[in-house]
Amino acid sequence: MKCLVCNTDFMPKIDFLALFSPKKEKNSTMCPACWQKFHRLTGTRCPQCGREQEKSEICQDCQKWQRAYQGKILLNHAAYDYNAAFHDLMVSYKRYGDYILCQLLSELAKEDLVKLQFDYYVPVPTNPDHQQKRGYDTIWEIFNPLVPLTPLLLKKAGSGAQGEKNKKARMQAKQNFFLNPEFRGTITGKILLLDDIYTTGRTLYHARDMIWTAFPEVEIESFSISR
Amino acid sequence: MNEAISSKAGRQWLVDNLDHSTNQGQTAIPAVQKGCCQRCGSVCYARLPSGALYCRECVGLGRLDQGKYLVRQAASGTYPKQRGMTWTGQLRPAQAEVSQFLLEQFAKKKDCLVHAVTGAGKTEMIFPLLAEAFSQGKRAAIATPRIDVVNELFPRLSAAFGQIMVGCYHGKMEKEPAGEQLVICTTHQLMKYYQAFDLLIIDEVDSFPFAGSPQLHFAAQNAVKKTGSRVFLTATPPKDLEIAVKKGQLAEIRLKRRFHGGLLPIPKLDQYYRPFIGKKGLHPKLVKRIVQACQSGHPLLVFVPRISEIPIYLDLLKKEKGLAELKMAGVYAEDPDRLEKVQAFREGKLDLLVTTTILERGVTFKHVWVIIVAADDRIYQTSSLVQIAGRVGRDKDDQTGLVLFCYHYYTRQIQQAVKQIKEMNR
């Protein structure tokens, strides 16, 4: 098999359990050497956003949100550290438009995401201009194979990408989401917002704000592949 | 510069569709034909949700999708016929011989391979060839796989050809092309050209990523005019070029002596049975070798196979009593202080530098000696070993020195490297 990241040939691991089990697991799309470059978030972390840190107290970013939202902090589940390997992967996937990497991102998200049971899975929407240019919706394509998605939110055209701003500009970004007019019906139960990267939290909090304008009662948490 | 030359002469670029009329001198072709990328020649296998194929291999230059088009600007117009050379230096007899050979082959439009030992002064040998090409109003490019080499060549060639427009392109700079008569660029940049050059010189052909990349070879073929010719420069010719020489497709010339006339240092071989890093620290014999080298007063480069091993070796070396007074550091490709550390080592402010193959070529340190730890690691190709050995004895006042290969298994690469060096010394 060819590794999607470094393009070298590798032998997928074969274990007997997988060989004889009726459920066929799909082979990994990445070689063991590349797997090692990704760092699972374990150890002591911020209990709210999942960031790895020395103490298991609420991190400074989350304290700011706590103040801004009168204690209504968003609980975020994160799987991987946003390190150089993850950064390079996202550059290829989002900037260069290397679509096939969505398979790999799905694989990274899978293990943690399947453990989270929610009534609705709402992907964070992407800019329609970018979507048009790339030929795909970056977030939708990652999560679509894993969970049933509900397109509750849309993003305004012409709004800039968070990835190109510095921290201050990110925090000052305006609400760019709106409710999908094609979505009818009501929502009861729990929603999990899905995104690729949690940096400042700005995007996910905006997404939650917008959902709460229509459904103030629902419980909302979020999942990001990296933090 | 002649106004007849478009700034886009010989370039190719992607467009989404053909609804605008193509200008004069431009042709457009479907970007993917028979499942192959027309920019880098790869077989496309990845598909977008729309079902269109796209090329992953050259995705960094802008994604090439099935349904898009490559527009190619013809290399029209000619440059003023002038040699343009402001270099006044003298070639040594051995260099002049190679230079003469290149001129003859260029007149015959034959591709050539220059197999010259490390430290032979390859760059100067191509000056007369470039001057000849410019005197005929022709366009030339020098491409190399490494950005550092591009950055080193550009000032040298700008100075040597003061009357010629020289362009410098690599992936770490955003620059619009200006149709320069001489282009110095990375081999990746060649993908942006189509039948642009009458003469294409590729330096360090054996080096990563050009060696072993079919995409870059495809680009190097496409960037030259059908009537143009190519020159490959290397100290360690890759297999495919050796085969081309045997088949007669390529004319080869060898330059066996360094510019100072001395021989290449022959590597000493040192076999180990126990691991280099044991329970009690470094292998005592390895320590002894390093101490001996350092006591001789020579700066020492210690090559290790992987970046992750640099700090391990560095820590263990610092603990050794015999080396306590030495100043040492480690340097690797993405090291933020890479340039500073290399400069400090060059100036003698560091005695020992632990490094990886990033310092295998393109660098000169006076009086340096080298030790390769784990020379049997698969990361060391024959060419890497020859290049590393070639760091030693480059100064005309100090033509010899220690090259030590430490290994457990005697590999084919080690054997070939020693054989090649001895052959060039004959």
Side-chain angles (χ1 to χ4, degrees):
Chain A
M1 266 189 81
K2 270 215 179 342
C3 170
L4 280 186
V5 177
C6 64
N7 221 358
T8 51
D9 273 312
F10 72 101
M11 281 291 286
K13 254 205 290 190
I14 298 171
D15 65 76
F16 277 93
L17 204 67
L19 206 58
F20 293 110
S21 84
K23 266 195 286 181
K24 282 278 174 265
E25 280 281 323
K26 256 186 83 180
N27 277 326
S28 177
T29 49
M30 187 159 59
C31 70
C34 285
W35 266 110
Q36 280 193 352
K37 294 183 204 153
F38 290 87
H39 174 64
R40 276 290 286 233
L41 288 170
T42 48
T44 49
R45 303 155 66 177
C46 168
Q48 292 302 326
C49 67
R51 170 201 282 190
E52 222 172 33
Q53 53 185 18
E54 281 175 18
K55 295 176 210 154
S56 57
E57 289 162 8
I58 293 183
C59 74
Q60 287 205 331
D61 283 357
C62 284
Q63 284 176 21
K64 276 185 204 152
W65 290 120
Q66 199 167 28
R67 284 195 291 276
Y69 282 86
Q70 289 89 40
K72 286 185 187 166
I73 271 191
L74 176 71
L75 179 62
N76 183 61
H77 306 269
Y80 283 87
D81 181 31
Y82 188 73
N83 58 8
F86 203 93
H87 174 82
D88 293 347
L89 175 63
M90 292 317 286
V91 167
S92 300
Y93 182 58
K94 288 168 94 168
R95 193 192 302 159
Y96 296 146
D98 195 355
Y99 169 73
I100 203 171
L101 294 172
C102 70
Q103 296 176 10
L104 176 57
L105 284 154
S106 288
E107 208 182 319
L108 290 172
K110 190 176 178 185
E111 198 178 333
D112 285 35
L113 190 59
V114 292
K115 289 182 203 149
L116 301 169
Q117 288 298 321
F118 282 77
D119 302 309
Y120 296 91
Y121 297 90
V122 178
V124 168
T126 48
N127 185 325
D129 310 334
H130 294 168
Q131 201 173 315
Q132 170 73 29
K133 210 172 156 219
R134 289 188 190 112
Y136 58 96
D137 178 335
T138 50
I139 308 293
W140 184 278
E141 296 294 334
I142 298 172
F143 294 107
N144 196 36
L146 302 176
V147 286
L149 299 178
T150 310
L152 190 55
L153 296 172
L154 292 177
K155 192 171 185 181
K156 285 178 198 161
S159 42
Q162 281 289 76
E164 287 153 16
K165 299 173 191 158
N166 61 22
K167 187 166 180 182
K168 198 175 167 200
R170 279 167 193 262
M171 291 303 287
Q172 287 167 347
K174 292 212 170 63
Q175 173 68 275
N176 278 316
F177 300 133
F178 60 97
L179 289 161
N180 186 351
E182 282 171 27
F183 181 80
R184 301 191 202 289
T186 183
I187 285 191
T188 47
K190 287 159 68 184
I191 290 180
L192 187 67
L193 289 167
L194 303 173
D195 204 355
D196 48 3
I197 310 162
Y198 182 114
T199 310
T200 57
R202 184 64 273 177
T203 308
L204 284 163
Y205 275 88
H206 271 155
R208 188 179 70 164
D209 292 347
M210 191 42 68
I211 296 177
W212 271 350
T213 58
F215 310 102
E217 298 305 317
V218 294
E219 201 180 305
I220 302 175
E221 290 176 19
S222 64
F223 173 81
S224 64
I225 307 173
S226 90
R227 170 69 178 97
Chain B
M1 202 177 80
N2 194 331
E3 283 194 23
I5 295 152
S6 152
S7 64
K8 286 188 168 162
R11 301 277 285 192
Q12 61 175 355
W13 61 93
L14 269 180
V15 294
D16 289 348
N17 41 48
L18 284 180
D19 51 6
H20 66 87
S21 57
T22 35
N23 293 325
Q24 214 195 346
Q26 291 179 352
T27 49
I29 58 153
V32 177
Q33 283 180 20
K34 292 182 183 162
C36 284
C37 169
Q38 295 303 300
R39 183 168 59 188
C40 76
S42 309
V43 176
C44 304
Y45 58 92
R47 283 180 194 274
L48 294 168
S50 67
L53 287 164
Y54 72 94
C55 180
R56 292 194 71 211
E57 304 299 335
C58 59
V59 76
L61 292 171
R63 195 180 66 202
L64 182 141
D65 307 350
Q66 200 170 24
K68 287 187 184 173
Y69 293 86
L70 268 178
V71 177
R72 289 165 171 172
Q73 175 84 48
S76 58
T78 48
Y79 294 85
K81 291 180 178 170
Q82 51 163 359
R83 286 173 69 83
M85 186 159 77
T86 42
W87 182 71
T88 52
Q90 272 288 315
L91 292 176
R92 292 168 172 278
Q95 287 175 312
E97 201 181 302
V98 175
S99 194
Q100 187 55 37
F101 174 83
L102 290 175
L103 286 171
E104 286 161 16
Q105 299 304 317
F106 182 65
K108 287 192 239 164
K109 297 192 192 322
K110 181 138 188 178
D111 291 350
C112 0
L113 168 69
V114 179
H115 180 180
V117 293
T118 50
K122 286 192 287 280
T123 313
E124 288 81 12
M125 292 187 286
I126 59 172
F127 288 171
L129 175 62
L130 287 170
E132 172 62 24
F134 298 148
S135 76
Q136 297 174 21
K138 290 185 167 173
R139 193 177 188 198
I142 305 174
T144 157
R146 302 207 163 194
I147 288 183
D148 340 338
V149 181
V150 171
N151 285 333
E152 195 208 289
L153 285 176
F154 177 64
R156 280 174 75 183
L157 280 133
S158 301
F161 290 91
Q163 291 156 12
I164 299 288
M165 278 267 283
V166 187
C168 175
Y169 300 94
H170 55 68
K172 291 212 169 131
M173 55 178 7
E174 292 282 327
K175 204 170 80 179
E176 283 304 305
E180 295 95 346
Q181 193 170 6
L182 174 60
V183 170
I184 297 167
C185 64
T186 53
T187 43
H188 270 99
Q189 295 293 315
L190 293 176
M191 287 189 195
K192 297 184 182 170
Y193 291 92
Y194 185 76
Q195 299 190 354
F197 304 108
D198 302 286
L199 171 64
L200 173 62
I201 297 165
I202 303 182
D203 196 6
E204 312 269 18
V205 257
D206 57 301
S207 152
F208 176 83
F210 188 77
S213 163
Q215 293 82 29
L216 294 177
H217 282 75
F218 181 86
Q221 194 99 49
N222 260 355
V224 184
K225 285 184 192 168
K226 287 219 168 78
T227 54
S229 54
R230 300 188 294 172
V231 175
F232 303 100
L233 305 177
T234 178
T236 44
K239 264 262 134 50
D240 56 327
L241 292 185
E242 280 183 344
I243 292 169
V245 169
K246 280 200 187 120
K247 282 186 183 163
Q249 297 158 344
L250 206 57
E252 188 194 26
I253 187 159
R254 291 187 178 194
L255 180 55
K256 295 185 168 192
R257 289 295 171 267
R258 296 185 141 180
F259 77 94
H260 57 51
L263 295 175
L264 295 167
I266 308 272
K268 287 200 172 64
L269 303 180
D270 208 4
Q271 191 161 26
Y272 290 71
Y273 296 97
R274 277 182 290 130
F276 293 116
I277 301 176
K279 282 177 190 148
K280 290 177 192 161
L282 283 179
H283 196 297
K285 187 163 81 170
L286 182 62
V287 176
K288 201 174 119 197
R289 299 277 188 250
I290 293 175
V291 170
Q292 278 173 351
C294 288
Q295 278 170 350
S296 71
H298 288 268
L300 183 66
L301 277 173
V302 176
F303 286 85
V304 297
R306 261 156 285 276
I307 293 172
S308 58
E309 292 169 12
I310 293 175
I312 303 172
Y313 277 97
L314 212 51
D315 280 349
L316 290 169
L317 285 171
K318 278 177 183 164
K319 281 181 198 147
E320 292 297 333
K321 281 187 193 117
L323 299 168
E325 286 167 16
L326 291 179
K327 290 183 286 297
M328 49 180 94
V331 66
Y332 54 95
E334 284 97 31
D335 193 334
D337 306 323
R338 172 174 161 189
L339 294 176
E340 288 81 16
K341 283 179 186 169
V342 170
Q343 192 54 33
F345 185 67
R346 191 169 280 143
E347 290 166 4
K349 289 176 189 161
L350 288 169
D351 306 303
L352 193 158
L353 203 56
V354 183
T355 185
T356 62
T357 48
I358 55 148
L359 290 187
E360 77 178 27
R361 65 179 76 217
V363 287
T364 302
F365 303 107
K366 274 193 176 169
H367 312 300
V368 77
W369 285 9
V370 300
I371 292 180
I372 306 181
V373 180
D376 51 350
D377 194 281
R378 64 194 169 100
I379 202 158
Y380 294 116
Q381 296 298 315
T382 307
S383 62
S384 292
L385 295 172
V386 173
Q387 287 287 348
I388 291 172
R391 297 310 98 204
V392 177
R394 294 169 82 95
D395 197 271
K396 69 176 191 299
D397 302 322
D398 185 12
Q399 302 182 359
T400 56
L402 174 76
V403 178
L404 187 66
F405 291 177
C406 303
Y407 59 89
H408 293 96
Y409 302 100
Y410 184 63
T411 59
R412 192 179 160 71
Q413 284 72 25
I414 295 176
Q415 181 224 340
Q416 287 290 323
V418 176
K419 191 178 150 209
Q420 278 191 16
I421 292 170
K422 283 184 176 162
E423 220 170 79
M424 290 308 264
N425 273 351
R426 262 214 301 263

